[in-house]
Amino acid sequence: MNPSQFPEPTRIPVNGVELEVFEAGRQNAGNPIVLCHGWPGHASSWRHQVPALVAAGYHVIVPNQRGYGNSSRPTEVTDYDIEHLSGDLVALLDHYGYDEATFVGHDWGAMVVWGLTLLHPNRVNRVINLSLPYQERGDTPWIEWMQAVLGEDFYFVHFNRQPGVADAVFEENTFRFLRNLYRKNEPPQQPQPGMALITLARAEAPLGDPVMSDEELAVLVAAFDTSGFTASVNWYRNLDRNWHLLADADPIIRQPALMIYGDRDMVQKSETLAEFVPDVEVVELDCGHWIQQEKPEELNAAILSWLQRQDATRLR
């Protein structure tokens, strides 16, 4: 599916904001699946999955989450915490009249899906997450822990401790940053610090092979030219707040889950995943971080195979 074939969006009021939502397969009403993009992403990152899921009988709902594309961009940093982000998805289900759905997340979208499942377990029937595994809450708020272990220049810490610095650089170099970021990874490296992302935004020459065409990249660049980066980076600025908001949640994900890693991804695999997500199946693909764009056919096959086996199990 090229960008011109992606479904036309609708703006839907939910949870005090409006989300730009791309929908396909309404004829499959009753079998919803919600696809949640990551950072710095867009609903169109799922363009290769939408037709396959519709053909498999799913009502596919793909929001640009708050802060992205033409969705609302609240000005308060705390409006991007996990309660607001998960509340948007719950309200989206309410809008379509669904009690529950299968949720799929990539990168930050995976973080939101994990949090949604903890806070609203009755609204999630299955979880499929890409790249980012379940994050154990631990005894120390996440940014505090990262600063102590990984240093002040680790990009999560950098975004929190130096607000506005990275945002401005990204906005001054939107095309260059996104062109250089959406590349195939070489064999796994350590996660990049904040200043490395700023260097990436200023690098003139493309670094590595692209994972999208020029036409596909243009859609992403146009979206961030409209939205800027601050709203999306504000998701990072709520990590310690999220740590507190999740304090009383049952930390175990009890729904069936599929975790998909890219072997060349810089995001580290979890060694404790099965402790917190006991009904999990793990798939590894030979790719980097942008799994759904780098290996679309292999990803579709893995997702559909797992969903079919889950459906067969439920029918027994």
Side-chain angles (χ1 to χ4, degrees):
M1 176 182 284
N2 64 45
S4 64
Q5 296 173 316
F6 203 63
E8 288 295 318
T10 302
R11 287 176 64 90
I12 297 175
V14 295
N15 198 29
V17 296
E18 286 190 346
L19 296 185
E20 181 182 31
V21 179
F22 301 80
E23 177 194 3
R26 184 170 285 211
Q27 68 273 19
N28 301 322
N31 199 16
I33 189 166
V34 182
L35 311 182
C36 302
H37 62 78
W39 182 86
H42 188 271
S44 65
S45 65
W46 300 105
R47 61 194 173 278
H48 301 296
Q49 284 65 57
V50 171
L53 290 166
V54 170
Y58 289 91
H59 180 192
V60 185
I61 301 165
V62 195
N64 266 329
Q65 298 179 83
R66 65 166 65 195
Y68 287 86
N70 291 314
S71 292
S72 297
R73 298 185 292 277
T75 56
E76 294 296 324
V77 172
T78 54
D79 284 341
Y80 298 89
D81 67 24
I82 191 62
E83 284 190 347
H84 286 87
L85 297 174
S86 62
D88 292 349
L89 298 176
V90 168
L92 194 59
L93 290 189
D94 291 342
H95 170 82
Y96 285 104
Y98 290 127
D99 292 330
E100 60 181 25
T102 298
F103 283 86
V104 185
H106 170 252
D107 182 80
W108 246 108
M111 177 78 85
V112 173
V113 170
W114 293 126
L116 167 71
T117 309
L118 294 177
L119 293 173
H120 304 278
N122 61 320
R123 307 307 297 267
V124 181
N125 55 39
R126 293 178 294 197
V127 171
I128 301 173
N129 275 332
L130 283 59
S131 180
L132 189 75
Y134 179 92
Q135 302 297 295
E136 183 178 351
R137 187 170 172 275
D139 297 324
T140 307
W142 284 307
I143 296 299
E144 288 185 25
W145 180 89
M146 290 177 190
Q147 184 167 0
V149 174
L150 300 170
E152 292 186 1
D153 201 35
F154 182 62
Y155 72 105
F156 280 72
V157 181
H158 184 274
F159 289 165
N160 277 267
R161 303 302 187 233
Q162 301 186 49
V165 174
D167 320 22
V169 175
F170 299 153
E171 289 173 9
E172 290 169 4
N173 302 276
T174 299
F175 168 76
R176 191 175 294 171
F177 175 54
L178 295 172
R179 176 197 62 182
N180 293 341
L181 187 65
Y182 278 83
R183 299 275 159 176
K184 297 178 182 178
N185 295 127
E186 294 304 320
Q189 311 168 33
Q190 291 299 312
Q192 295 297 302
M195 290 307 294
L197 287 176
I198 290 176
T199 301
L200 196 68
R202 290 172 170 158
E204 293 187 8
L207 308 171
D209 295 327
V211 298
M212 64 178 79
S213 68
D214 290 346
E215 184 184 9
E216 291 164 342
L217 177 61
V219 172
L220 192 64
V221 171
F224 279 96
D225 279 341
T226 297
S227 68
F229 285 87
T230 296
S232 64
V233 176
N234 280 343
W235 290 32
Y236 288 88
R237 296 180 177 128
N238 279 283
L239 271 172
D240 280 358
R241 181 177 173 83
N242 293 348
W243 183 89
H244 289 286
L245 290 172
L246 293 169
D248 296 328
D250 179 353
I252 305 302
I253 301 287
R254 305 188 185 279
Q255 290 81 346
L258 175 64
M259 181 66 224
I260 302 174
Y261 293 114
D263 280 339
R264 298 172 182 269
D265 197 344
M266 291 179 289
V267 177
Q268 303 298 298
K269 299 180 177 69
S270 172
E271 297 180 357
T272 60
L273 181 64
E275 295 178 25
F276 294 92
V277 192
D279 191 4
V280 66
E281 181 175 321
V282 176
V283 171
E284 298 182 16
L285 299 178
D286 182 22
C287 62
H289 183 67
W290 313 109
I291 300 170
Q292 69 269 49
Q293 303 186 74
E294 188 175 344
K295 293 287 184 178
E297 292 82 8
E298 293 89 337
L299 176 64
N300 291 350
I303 289 175
L304 292 174
S305 173
W306 184 79
L307 287 171
Q308 289 165 1
R309 283 183 277 114
Q310 287 294 316
D311 288 340
T313 299
R314 290 200 293 185
L315 291 173
R316 287 176 188 167

